[in-house]
Amino acid sequence: MAATLAQVVPPGFYFQGRSAPVQMRNAAAARFGSNRYVIVGLVDTSGYAADVREKYQGFLITDSAITVGGSEVGIGAYGFGFTNDGKFVIMDLSGKEILSVAAPMDDKLAVRAP
C-alpha cells in the first residue's frame, strides 16, 4: 500500500498562493472501487503567515462527492484545519471557508506514547 500511497499523494499542496510540502508520514488515502480516492494529509505550513497557519493544517482531495458532518463536499481539492473552538473547517484553495462542522474531542481515544 505504501507504493500506492506515494502514487496518489502529492509531494506538495497549493493553498492560498503558496505550495507547502506534504508530511507523507501524516497522509492517507482511501480507495473506493478500482479508481476513486479520498486523499488527506498534513502539510508543513512554516512558510505561511500566522493567520493562515491558524486555520490551515492539511489538505483533502476527493474525486467523488463525499459527506462531512452531514454536508456534501464536491469533487475537488481543499485545505482544512481545526479551530481552537472545536470546529473542523474545509476551505477552497483561495482560503474561503466552504464548510464548518463540530469536531468534538473523543475522550475515550487511547493515546500511545512513542
Side-chain angles (χ1 to χ4, degrees):
M1 185 63 179
T4 302
L5 190 62
Q7 290 175 341
V8 297
V9 175
F13 189 76
Y14 172 87
F15 180 78
Q16 214 168 349
R18 298 190 71 130
S19 183
V22 170
Q23 299 174 5
M24 286 301 288
R25 69 187 180 284
N26 293 316
R31 183 174 64 200
F32 300 96
S34 61
N35 63 353
R36 296 285 187 195
Y37 289 90
V38 174
I39 307 160
V40 296
L42 298 181
V43 296
D44 177 4
T45 59
S46 60
Y48 284 84
D51 63 325
V52 176
R53 287 194 315 264
E54 286 177 12
K55 64 181 181 178
Y56 171 54
Q57 290 100 35
F59 71 91
L60 165 76
I61 301 171
T62 180
D63 57 13
S64 298
I66 60 172
T67 302
V68 175
S71 297
E72 185 172 300
V73 176
I75 295 168
Y78 306 93
F80 74 79
F82 295 91
T83 64
N84 290 333
D85 62 348
K87 303 276 188 198
F88 175 68
V89 179
I90 298 177
M91 299 157 283
D92 67 16
L93 296 181
S94 73
K96 178 183 173 195
E97 185 178 304
I98 62 164
L99 176 69
S100 177
V101 296
M105 294 292 290
D106 184 349
D107 59 356
K108 295 181 180 105
L109 183 65
V111 177
R112 295 182 187 172

XYZ file of all heavy atoms in Angstrom:
842
model
N 0.817 -1.204 0.000
C 0.000 0.000 0.000
C 0.855 1.260 0.000
O 0.441 2.282 -0.501
C -0.942 -0.043 1.211
C -1.912 1.106 1.246
S -3.019 1.070 -0.165
C -4.019 2.462 0.170
N 2.048 1.218 0.584
C 2.916 2.401 0.628
C 3.261 2.881 -0.775
O 3.313 4.084 -1.025
C 4.175 2.110 1.421
N 3.488 1.951 -1.699
C 3.794 2.339 -3.076
C 2.595 3.032 -3.709
O 2.743 4.035 -4.404
C 4.201 1.122 -3.888
N 1.404 2.522 -3.464
C 0.192 3.145 -3.996
C -0.001 4.526 -3.382
O -0.350 5.477 -4.070
C -1.040 2.269 -3.706
O -0.840 0.984 -4.288
C -2.297 2.884 -4.272
N 0.242 4.651 -2.087
C 0.109 5.946 -1.417
C 1.037 6.972 -2.052
O 0.627 8.099 -2.328
C 0.407 5.799 0.075
C 0.091 7.003 0.952
C -1.390 7.331 0.928
C 0.548 6.753 2.372
N 2.264 6.590 -2.329
C 3.219 7.507 -2.959
C 2.770 7.908 -4.362
O 3.136 8.980 -4.841
C 4.599 6.865 -3.007
N 1.970 7.082 -5.010
C 1.490 7.399 -6.355
C 0.341 8.407 -6.341
O 0.160 9.150 -7.296
C 1.028 6.134 -7.076
C 2.151 5.206 -7.444
C 1.643 3.907 -8.044
O 0.485 3.539 -7.879
N 2.512 3.217 -8.735
N -0.449 8.425 -5.265
C -1.629 9.291 -5.262
C -1.488 10.534 -4.393
O -2.198 11.515 -4.611
C -2.919 8.520 -4.870
C -3.220 7.430 -5.881
C -2.852 7.977 -3.470
N -0.608 10.514 -3.400
C -0.434 11.680 -2.532
C 0.583 12.627 -3.156
O 1.704 12.221 -3.460
C 0.024 11.257 -1.115
C 0.321 12.484 -0.261
C -1.019 10.387 -0.451
N 0.213 13.887 -3.357
C 1.164 14.831 -3.957
C 2.290 15.185 -2.980
O 2.082 15.196 -1.766
C 0.304 16.058 -4.251
C -0.805 15.995 -3.256
C -1.071 14.532 -3.024
N 3.474 15.479 -3.477
C 4.582 15.860 -2.591
C 4.411 17.249 -1.986
O 5.002 17.572 -0.967
C 5.803 15.811 -3.499
C 5.256 15.985 -4.877
C 3.874 15.397 -4.871
N 3.590 18.069 -2.619
C 3.307 19.414 -2.130
C 1.866 19.749 -2.430
O 1.230 19.114 -3.274
N 1.339 20.752 -1.737
C -0.058 21.131 -1.953
C -0.174 22.646 -1.991
O 0.314 23.344 -1.100
C -0.950 20.558 -0.847
C -2.413 20.723 -1.135
C -3.038 19.903 -2.059
C -3.152 21.701 -0.504
C -4.377 20.049 -2.347
C -4.495 21.867 -0.779
C -5.113 21.034 -1.701
N -0.828 23.153 -3.024
C -1.040 24.582 -3.221
C -2.251 25.033 -2.407
O -3.312 24.410 -2.449
C -1.286 24.871 -4.704
C -1.709 26.294 -4.960
C -0.762 27.294 -5.140
C -3.047 26.650 -4.989
C -1.152 28.610 -5.356
C -3.444 27.956 -5.201
C -2.489 28.933 -5.384
O -2.882 30.227 -5.587
N -2.078 26.118 -1.651
C -3.185 26.704 -0.898
C -2.891 28.169 -0.679
O -1.806 28.540 -0.244
C -3.347 25.996 0.456
C -4.473 26.533 1.288
C -5.778 26.190 1.021
C -4.215 27.382 2.349
C -6.821 26.684 1.789
C -5.249 27.897 3.124
C -6.554 27.531 2.846
N -3.819 29.000 -0.992
C -3.774 30.443 -0.751
C -2.454 31.073 -1.219
O -1.778 31.783 -0.490
C -4.037 30.732 0.728
C -4.777 32.017 0.933
C -5.301 32.165 2.356
O -5.295 31.245 3.158
N -5.765 33.353 2.653
N -2.083 30.773 -2.461
C -0.948 31.440 -3.085
C 0.420 30.837 -2.835
O 1.415 31.381 -3.295
N 0.491 29.730 -2.108
C 1.779 29.103 -1.817
C 1.650 27.596 -1.933
O 0.568 27.043 -1.853
C 2.230 29.435 -0.398
C 2.434 30.925 -0.183
C 3.097 31.135 1.113
N 4.479 30.679 0.977
C 5.528 31.390 1.329
N 5.361 32.571 1.840
N 6.733 30.933 1.185
N 2.774 26.937 -2.055
C 2.810 25.478 -2.052
C 3.568 25.027 -0.815
O 4.662 25.517 -0.540
C 3.505 24.975 -3.315
O 3.488 23.570 -3.344
N 2.978 24.097 -0.070
C 3.592 23.589 1.156
C 3.930 22.118 0.986
O 3.158 21.370 0.378
C 2.637 23.768 2.338
N 5.059 21.669 1.531
C 5.404 20.252 1.456
C 4.417 19.398 2.261
O 4.003 19.788 3.355
C 6.796 20.166 2.076
C 7.265 21.558 2.282
C 6.082 22.465 2.195
N 4.066 18.262 1.699
C 3.175 17.330 2.379
C 3.993 16.470 3.336
O 5.084 16.029 3.017
C 2.454 16.432 1.347
C 1.711 15.296 2.023
C 1.501 17.275 0.503
N 3.470 16.251 4.521
C 4.093 15.359 5.502
C 3.614 13.938 5.181
O 2.551 13.515 5.624
C 3.687 15.742 6.921
C 4.091 17.123 7.342
C 3.531 17.489 8.710
O 2.911 16.695 9.400
N 3.741 18.733 9.089
N 4.385 13.198 4.403
C 3.956 11.864 3.960
C 3.638 10.941 5.134
O 2.757 10.101 5.031
C 5.011 11.242 3.055
C 5.057 11.856 1.660
S 3.487 11.717 0.767
C 3.458 9.973 0.410
N 4.317 11.100 6.250
C 4.039 10.246 7.404
C 2.660 10.538 7.990
O 2.122 9.744 8.763
C 5.116 10.427 8.470
C 5.093 11.786 9.139
C 6.277 12.008 10.075
N 6.240 13.301 10.710
C 6.551 14.449 10.128
N 6.946 14.470 8.863
N 6.490 15.583 10.787
N 2.088 11.678 7.635
C 0.768 12.081 8.115
C -0.217 12.211 6.955
O -1.032 13.126 6.914
C 0.856 13.408 8.874
C 1.635 13.277 10.150
O 1.460 12.326 10.899
N 2.532 14.219 10.405
N -0.118 11.294 6.007
C -1.006 11.293 4.842
C -1.675 9.925 4.728
O -1.116 8.913 5.154
C -0.225 11.602 3.567
N -2.874 9.930 4.162
C -3.609 8.680 3.978
C -4.503 8.811 2.757
O -4.874 9.913 2.353
C -4.455 8.374 5.207
N -4.825 7.664 2.182
C -5.734 7.633 1.040
C -6.670 6.446 1.211
O -6.246 5.375 1.639
C -4.967 7.512 -0.268
N -7.942 6.667 0.913
C -8.924 5.588 0.910
C -9.364 5.393 -0.530
O -9.743 6.353 -1.200
C -10.106 5.939 1.800
N -9.274 4.158 -0.996
C -9.689 3.856 -2.374
C -11.080 3.244 -2.337
O -11.363 2.364 -1.528
C -8.709 2.895 -3.026
C -9.074 2.623 -4.485
C -8.055 1.790 -5.191
N -8.014 0.479 -4.566
C -6.997 -0.354 -4.683
N -5.930 -0.008 -5.361
N -7.028 -1.524 -4.089
N -11.921 3.720 -3.232
C -13.267 3.201 -3.377
C -13.389 2.644 -4.775
O -13.165 3.364 -5.753
C -14.308 4.299 -3.149
C -14.196 4.907 -1.768
C -13.476 6.073 -1.557
C -14.780 4.278 -0.683
C -13.357 6.619 -0.287
C -14.659 4.816 0.588
C -13.949 5.985 0.789
N -13.698 1.366 -4.907
C -13.727 0.736 -6.211
C -12.312 0.624 -6.752
O -11.341 0.543 -5.996
N -12.183 0.667 -8.048
C -10.860 0.476 -8.637
C -10.084 1.772 -8.843
O -8.862 1.746 -8.956
C -10.983 -0.257 -9.970
O -11.760 0.508 -10.865
N -10.760 2.922 -8.868
C -10.019 4.145 -9.175
C -10.617 5.417 -8.578
O -10.467 6.488 -9.139
C -9.872 4.296 -10.687
C -11.207 4.455 -11.381
O -12.258 4.329 -10.761
N -11.190 4.715 -12.669
N -11.267 5.336 -7.450
C -11.795 6.513 -6.766
C -11.072 6.658 -5.443
O -10.911 5.689 -4.702
C -13.294 6.398 -6.514
C -14.108 6.337 -7.766
C -14.160 7.699 -8.371
N -15.066 7.705 -9.496
C -15.093 8.656 -10.379
N -14.285 9.677 -10.282
N -15.918 8.609 -11.379
N -10.643 7.888 -5.105
C -9.866 8.116 -3.899
C -10.368 9.313 -3.116
O -10.874 10.275 -3.681
C -8.396 8.396 -4.241
C -7.639 7.204 -4.746
C -7.588 6.923 -6.103
C -6.961 6.376 -3.861
C -6.886 5.830 -6.568
C -6.249 5.278 -4.324
C -6.216 5.012 -5.673
O -5.519 3.925 -6.132
N -10.166 9.240 -1.804
C -10.211 10.387 -0.920
C -8.821 10.419 -0.291
O -8.381 9.438 0.310
C -11.302 10.279 0.165
C -11.199 11.431 1.145
C -12.680 10.241 -0.472
N -8.124 11.533 -0.462
C -6.734 11.655 -0.027
C -6.650 12.813 0.962
O -7.171 13.904 0.693
C -5.805 11.923 -1.235
C -6.019 10.864 -2.311
C -4.346 12.004 -0.798
C -5.542 11.283 -3.677
N -6.020 12.587 2.095
C -5.835 13.628 3.092
C -4.403 13.606 3.597
O -3.741 12.570 3.562
C -6.805 13.486 4.296
C -8.245 13.645 3.863
C -6.602 12.165 5.003
N -3.932 14.745 4.035
C -2.594 14.802 4.604
C -2.353 16.123 5.303
O -3.025 17.116 5.027
N -1.409 16.098 6.211
C -0.974 17.323 6.861
C 0.160 17.926 6.049
O 0.864 17.213 5.327
C -0.513 17.036 8.288
C -1.576 16.469 9.225
C -0.989 16.241 10.614
C -2.799 17.363 9.293
N 0.327 19.230 6.155
C 1.363 19.934 5.407
C 2.233 20.752 6.354
O 1.834 21.056 7.479
C 0.762 20.863 4.325
C 0.026 20.074 3.263
C -0.153 21.904 4.944
N 3.411 21.100 5.889
C 4.319 21.967 6.636
C 3.957 23.407 6.287
O 4.239 23.871 5.186
C 5.758 21.665 6.260
C 6.759 22.580 6.939
O 6.343 23.417 7.773
O 7.948 22.474 6.634
N 3.334 24.105 7.213
C 2.858 25.467 6.947
C 3.824 26.535 7.441
O 3.449 27.703 7.545
C 1.479 25.694 7.598
O 1.588 25.484 9.009
C 0.430 24.779 7.008
N 5.073 26.174 7.694
C 6.027 27.135 8.256
C 6.242 28.359 7.364
O 6.575 29.421 7.858
C 7.359 26.458 8.566
O 7.922 25.911 7.388
N 6.040 28.252 6.058
C 6.230 29.393 5.168
C 5.029 30.309 5.061
O 5.079 31.339 4.388
N 3.948 29.969 5.719
C 2.723 30.762 5.645
C 2.665 31.794 6.766
O 3.283 31.623 7.814
C 1.499 29.849 5.752
C 1.181 29.080 4.501
C 1.823 27.891 4.216
C 0.238 29.549 3.597
C 1.535 27.176 3.066
C -0.060 28.845 2.443
C 0.590 27.660 2.185
O 0.302 26.959 1.049
N 1.872 32.824 6.557
C 1.644 33.837 7.588
C 0.910 33.196 8.765
O 0.201 32.199 8.603
C 0.812 34.983 7.015
N 1.068 33.766 9.944
C 0.479 33.212 11.166
C -1.036 33.050 11.053
O -1.584 32.043 11.510
C 0.831 34.087 12.357
N -1.723 34.001 10.430
C -3.181 33.896 10.342
C -3.617 32.733 9.458
O -4.651 32.124 9.690
C -3.797 35.213 9.866
C -3.371 35.613 8.467
O -2.220 35.346 8.083
O -4.198 36.224 7.760
N -2.817 32.376 8.465
C -3.130 31.225 7.616
C -2.812 29.937 8.379
O -3.598 28.989 8.368
C -2.363 31.282 6.277
C -2.615 30.038 5.446
C -2.747 32.536 5.505
N -1.673 29.894 9.058
C -1.293 28.697 9.832
C -2.324 28.358 10.903
O -2.511 27.190 11.231
C 0.075 28.881 10.480
C 1.223 28.810 9.510
C 2.569 28.659 10.208
N 2.775 29.535 11.347
C 3.410 30.700 11.309
N 3.910 31.139 10.166
N 3.563 31.424 12.388
N -2.991 29.369 11.431
C -4.006 29.128 12.464
C -5.176 28.326 11.939
O -5.785 27.565 12.677
C -4.523 30.453 13.016
C -3.545 31.148 13.923
C -4.068 32.493 14.397
O -5.274 32.787 14.214
O -3.266 33.247 14.961
N -5.511 28.475 10.658
C -6.698 27.795 10.137
C -6.379 26.666 9.160
O -7.253 25.873 8.849
C -7.622 28.803 9.448
C -7.021 29.457 8.215
C -7.979 30.457 7.594
C -7.372 31.079 6.350
N -8.255 32.005 5.709
N -5.155 26.563 8.689
C -4.803 25.602 7.643
C -3.742 24.636 8.144
O -2.629 25.031 8.452
C -4.299 26.368 6.413
C -3.685 25.529 5.319
C -4.369 24.465 4.758
C -2.417 25.826 4.837
C -3.802 23.707 3.741
C -1.851 25.081 3.817
C -2.547 24.024 3.277
O -1.983 23.277 2.267
N -4.122 23.376 8.257
C -3.166 22.366 8.679
C -2.968 21.246 7.657
O -1.985 20.519 7.715
C -3.591 21.728 10.010
C -3.472 22.657 11.195
C -4.799 23.260 11.597
O -5.831 22.625 11.500
N -4.773 24.490 12.060
N -3.914 21.092 6.740
C -3.790 19.975 5.801
C -4.621 20.150 4.555
O -5.218 21.198 4.325
N -4.644 19.093 3.767
C -5.383 19.111 2.503
C -6.293 17.899 2.405
O -6.077 16.870 3.055
C -4.431 19.152 1.302
C -3.701 17.857 1.090
C -4.211 16.863 0.267
C -2.495 17.618 1.729
C -3.538 15.665 0.078
C -1.810 16.431 1.552
C -2.337 15.449 0.736
N -7.297 18.031 1.554
C -8.264 16.991 1.259
C -8.485 17.017 -0.245
O -8.760 18.083 -0.807
C -9.577 17.278 1.994
C -10.817 16.523 1.549
C -10.772 15.093 2.063
C -12.064 17.212 2.044
N -8.324 15.869 -0.882
C -8.594 15.743 -2.315
C -9.591 14.606 -2.479
O -9.387 13.524 -1.921
C -7.317 15.423 -3.120
C -6.262 16.511 -2.921
C -7.650 15.245 -4.608
C -4.893 16.153 -3.505
N -10.654 14.839 -3.214
C -11.625 13.784 -3.465
C -12.066 13.818 -4.924
O -12.298 14.890 -5.480
C -12.836 13.892 -2.511
O -13.749 12.829 -2.797
C -13.539 15.221 -2.607
N -12.141 12.641 -5.528
C -12.619 12.584 -6.909
C -14.045 12.051 -6.985
O -14.544 11.702 -8.042
C -11.668 11.791 -7.818
C -11.410 10.386 -7.353
O -12.121 9.894 -6.475
O -10.473 9.765 -7.883
N -14.704 12.028 -5.840
C -16.125 11.723 -5.731
C -16.695 12.649 -4.663
O -15.979 13.048 -3.747
C -16.346 10.272 -5.290
O -15.823 9.363 -6.220
N -17.963 12.958 -4.774
C -18.596 13.754 -3.730
C -18.599 12.936 -2.442
O -18.806 11.722 -2.464
C -20.018 14.129 -4.130
N -18.319 13.588 -1.310
C -18.323 12.924 -0.012
C -19.180 13.736 0.954
O -19.536 14.883 0.667
C -16.892 12.758 0.553
C -16.206 14.117 0.732
C -16.068 11.827 -0.327
C -14.871 14.058 1.456
N -19.499 13.143 2.084
C -20.261 13.831 3.113
C -19.384 13.998 4.344
O -18.756 13.039 4.801
C -21.525 13.025 3.478
O -22.307 12.853 2.301
C -22.350 13.747 4.518
N -19.324 15.208 4.863
C -18.560 15.522 6.071
C -19.513 16.190 7.053
O -20.061 17.254 6.745
C -17.364 16.446 5.764
C -16.652 16.855 7.036
C -16.403 15.787 4.786
N -19.733 15.561 8.178
C -20.610 16.140 9.185
C -22.013 16.419 8.684
O -22.632 17.392 9.094
N -22.501 15.596 7.759
C -23.844 15.767 7.225
C -23.954 16.721 6.044
O -25.025 16.890 5.489
N -22.837 17.327 5.631
C -22.844 18.247 4.482
C -22.018 17.669 3.347
O -20.974 17.061 3.583
C -22.254 19.605 4.880
O -23.043 20.209 5.866
N -22.487 17.877 2.132
C -21.765 17.344 0.975
C -20.581 18.224 0.604
O -20.674 19.448 0.608
C -22.693 17.217 -0.232
C -21.997 16.544 -1.412
C -22.921 16.226 -2.562
O -23.886 15.470 -2.355
O -22.663 16.744 -3.679
N -19.478 17.564 0.295
C -18.280 18.217 -0.237
C -18.095 17.654 -1.641
O -17.998 16.441 -1.816
C -17.041 17.924 0.637
C -15.795 18.527 0.013
C -17.252 18.445 2.050
N -18.067 18.524 -2.631
C -17.980 18.092 -4.018
C -16.582 17.660 -4.424
O -15.609 17.804 -3.671
N -16.482 17.146 -5.603
C -15.200 16.744 -6.182
C -14.271 17.946 -6.192
O -14.672 19.048 -6.572
C -15.411 16.225 -7.626
C -16.257 14.951 -7.594
C -14.082 15.992 -8.329
C -16.754 14.522 -8.960
N -13.039 17.747 -5.743
C -12.098 18.851 -5.757
C -10.964 18.691 -4.771
O -10.787 17.647 -4.155
N -10.223 19.772 -4.630
C -9.085 19.841 -3.714
C -9.345 20.983 -2.740
O -9.776 22.067 -3.150
C -7.797 20.077 -4.490
N -9.056 20.747 -1.468
C -9.395 21.687 -0.415
C -8.300 21.751 0.639
O -7.561 20.790 0.834
C -10.691 21.256 0.289
C -11.849 21.038 -0.641
C -12.122 19.773 -1.151
C -12.663 22.098 -1.014
C -13.187 19.565 -2.021
C -13.731 21.903 -1.878
C -13.986 20.628 -2.382
O -15.039 20.438 -3.237
N -8.252 22.850 1.353
C -7.455 22.943 2.559
C -8.374 22.685 3.739
O -9.584 22.882 3.645
N -7.807 22.212 4.847
C -8.623 22.038 6.039
C -7.831 22.398 7.286
O -6.607 22.481 7.259
C -9.198 20.618 6.157
C -8.190 19.566 6.559
C -7.791 19.416 7.884
C -7.658 18.705 5.621
C -6.878 18.439 8.256
C -6.745 17.725 5.977
C -6.350 17.603 7.305
N -8.571 22.578 8.361
C -7.938 22.855 9.642
C -8.902 22.663 10.784
O -10.106 22.487 10.583
N -8.358 22.676 11.981
C -9.134 22.570 13.205
C -8.972 23.871 13.968
O -7.860 24.362 14.129
C -8.647 21.395 14.052
C -8.863 20.063 13.390
C -7.884 19.511 12.580
C -10.048 19.379 13.559
C -8.085 18.293 11.960
C -10.262 18.154 12.936
C -9.275 17.608 12.135
N -10.079 24.412 14.432
C -10.039 25.683 15.147
C -9.961 25.445 16.652
O -10.272 24.358 17.142
C -11.280 26.531 14.836
O -12.439 25.856 15.326
C -11.412 26.792 13.339
N -9.565 26.471 17.385
C -9.473 26.378 18.837
C -10.828 26.194 19.504
O -10.907 25.738 20.640
C -8.784 27.616 19.411
C -7.317 27.650 19.060
O -6.691 26.620 18.848
N -6.766 28.849 18.993
N -11.905 26.557 18.796
C -13.236 26.403 19.388
C -13.918 25.097 18.969
O -15.134 24.968 19.051
C -14.118 27.618 19.074
C -14.376 27.810 17.586
O -13.713 27.161 16.754
O -15.258 28.635 17.255
N -13.139 24.108 18.522
C -13.670 22.778 18.268
C -14.372 22.570 16.948
O -15.287 21.752 16.844
N -13.951 23.281 15.917
C -14.551 23.121 14.583
C -13.540 22.510 13.612
O -12.338 22.733 13.725
C -14.993 24.476 14.014
C -15.962 25.227 14.865
C -17.354 24.790 14.616
C -18.267 25.749 15.367
N -19.557 25.271 15.575
N -14.070 21.737 12.670
C -13.310 21.241 11.534
C -13.752 22.088 10.359
O -14.945 22.150 10.050
C -13.605 19.761 11.282
C -12.942 19.211 10.047
C -11.569 19.080 9.983
C -13.704 18.806 8.964
C -10.955 18.558 8.851
C -13.096 18.279 7.828
C -11.718 18.154 7.775
N -12.815 22.786 9.720
C -13.139 23.742 8.660
C -12.520 23.273 7.353
O -11.341 22.899 7.309
C -12.599 25.147 9.019
C -12.896 26.144 7.926
C -13.173 25.614 10.347
N -13.316 23.277 6.292
C -12.838 22.985 4.943
C -12.924 24.269 4.141
O -13.940 24.970 4.177
C -13.662 21.863 4.282
C -13.510 20.558 5.086
C -13.222 21.659 2.827
C -14.329 19.410 4.561
N -11.825 24.564 3.416
C -11.738 25.802 2.638
C -11.393 25.489 1.192
O -10.710 24.497 0.917
C -10.649 26.707 3.236
C -10.923 27.102 4.671
S -9.414 27.565 5.556
C -8.691 25.969 5.877
N -11.827 26.360 0.277
C -11.377 26.209 -1.100
C -9.913 26.642 -1.176
O -9.328 27.083 -0.184
C -12.275 26.949 -2.083
C -12.241 28.464 -1.974
O -11.309 29.030 -1.348
O -13.137 29.104 -2.543
N -9.305 26.517 -2.326
C -7.872 26.795 -2.459
C -7.511 28.261 -2.262
O -6.355 28.585 -2.024
C -7.349 26.293 -3.804
C -7.437 24.782 -3.996
C -6.880 24.390 -5.358
C -6.751 24.028 -2.887
N -8.499 29.139 -2.320
C -8.232 30.555 -2.063
C -8.302 30.888 -0.577
O -7.977 31.998 -0.185
C -9.237 31.429 -2.820
O -10.515 31.357 -2.208
N -8.733 29.925 0.247
C -8.856 30.148 1.676
C -10.264 30.474 2.124
O -10.513 30.684 3.307
N -11.219 30.498 1.206
C -12.616 30.794 1.551
C -13.234 29.562 2.212
O -13.195 28.458 1.670
C -13.409 31.165 0.306
C -14.857 31.446 0.588
C -15.612 31.733 -0.693
C -17.090 31.842 -0.389
N -17.882 31.757 -1.608
N -13.808 29.765 3.388
C -14.451 28.669 4.110
C -15.678 28.190 3.354
O -16.541 28.981 2.985
C -14.857 29.157 5.504
C -15.428 28.079 6.385
C -15.766 28.588 7.769
O -14.863 29.130 8.446
O -16.935 28.446 8.163
N -15.765 26.877 3.134
C -16.947 26.319 2.471
C -17.748 25.407 3.388
O -18.891 25.103 3.109
C -16.584 25.575 1.168
C -15.673 24.394 1.450
C -15.964 26.504 0.152
C -15.596 23.430 0.287
N -17.130 24.977 4.504
C -17.814 24.082 5.427
C -17.168 24.182 6.796
O -15.942 24.238 6.903
C -17.721 22.633 4.923
C -18.285 21.532 5.802
C -19.801 21.637 5.866
C -17.890 20.175 5.260
N -17.988 24.204 7.821
C -17.507 24.198 9.195
C -18.430 23.296 9.996
O -19.644 23.514 10.012
C -17.509 25.621 9.764
O -17.119 25.608 11.121
N -17.862 22.277 10.628
C -18.660 21.340 11.428
C -17.982 21.138 12.774
O -16.771 21.314 12.910
C -18.858 19.989 10.711
C -19.649 20.158 9.429
C -17.537 19.307 10.428
N -18.771 20.760 13.758
C -18.229 20.482 15.083
C -17.266 19.298 15.003
O -17.509 18.330 14.282
C -19.356 20.182 16.063
N -16.172 19.394 15.733
C -15.178 18.323 15.802
C -14.911 18.026 17.272
O -13.906 18.436 17.836
C -13.891 18.735 15.087
N -15.854 17.323 17.914
C -15.698 17.080 19.346
C -14.507 16.171 19.638
O -14.140 15.333 18.824
C -17.016 16.406 19.743
C -17.549 15.827 18.475
C -17.045 16.703 17.368
N -13.918 16.371 20.801
C -12.811 15.525 21.244
C -13.362 14.171 21.671
O -14.433 14.096 22.282
C -12.080 16.162 22.422
C -11.370 17.451 22.081
S -9.987 17.213 20.979
C -8.850 16.396 22.049
N -12.654 13.101 21.350
C -13.032 11.755 21.762
C -12.236 11.416 23.014
O -11.059 11.062 22.942
C -12.737 10.765 20.645
C -13.193 9.357 20.970
O -13.546 9.093 22.139
O -13.184 8.518 20.058
N -12.860 11.551 24.179
C -12.141 11.331 25.424
C -11.843 9.856 25.695
O -11.114 9.518 26.622
C -12.876 11.958 26.602
C -14.280 11.422 26.788
O -14.751 10.602 25.974
O -14.941 11.842 27.764
N -12.403 8.954 24.881
C -12.127 7.519 25.030
C -11.028 7.046 24.095
O -10.654 5.888 24.113
C -13.403 6.727 24.770
C -14.478 7.002 25.807
C -15.710 6.201 25.537
C -16.737 6.497 26.592
N -17.788 7.332 26.154
N -10.495 7.942 23.272
C -9.444 7.583 22.328
C -8.146 7.320 23.085
O -7.690 8.149 23.866
C -9.235 8.722 21.316
C -8.220 8.467 20.214
C -8.695 7.334 19.304
C -8.044 9.734 19.402
N -7.588 6.160 22.867
C -6.344 5.797 23.545
C -5.179 6.450 22.828
O -5.090 6.437 21.604
C -6.170 4.281 23.538
N -4.290 7.046 23.602
C -3.095 7.665 23.051
C -1.903 6.849 23.506
O -1.728 6.595 24.694
C -2.962 9.134 23.530
C -1.679 9.738 22.999
C -4.170 9.935 23.108
N -1.108 6.426 22.563
C 0.080 5.637 22.883
C 1.303 6.523 22.911
O 1.512 7.342 22.028
C 0.294 4.552 21.832
C -0.797 3.533 21.802
C -0.472 2.487 20.786
N -1.612 1.599 20.636
C -1.683 0.696 19.717
N -0.709 0.527 18.850
N -2.746 -0.088 19.631
N 2.106 6.331 23.907
C 3.372 7.058 23.985
C 4.365 6.409 23.042
O 4.378 5.190 22.891
C 3.903 7.029 25.412
N 5.209 7.207 22.376
C 6.177 6.626 21.430
C 7.209 5.756 22.105
O 7.486 5.750 23.213
C 6.838 7.848 20.795
C 6.377 9.041 21.548
C 5.293 8.623 22.469
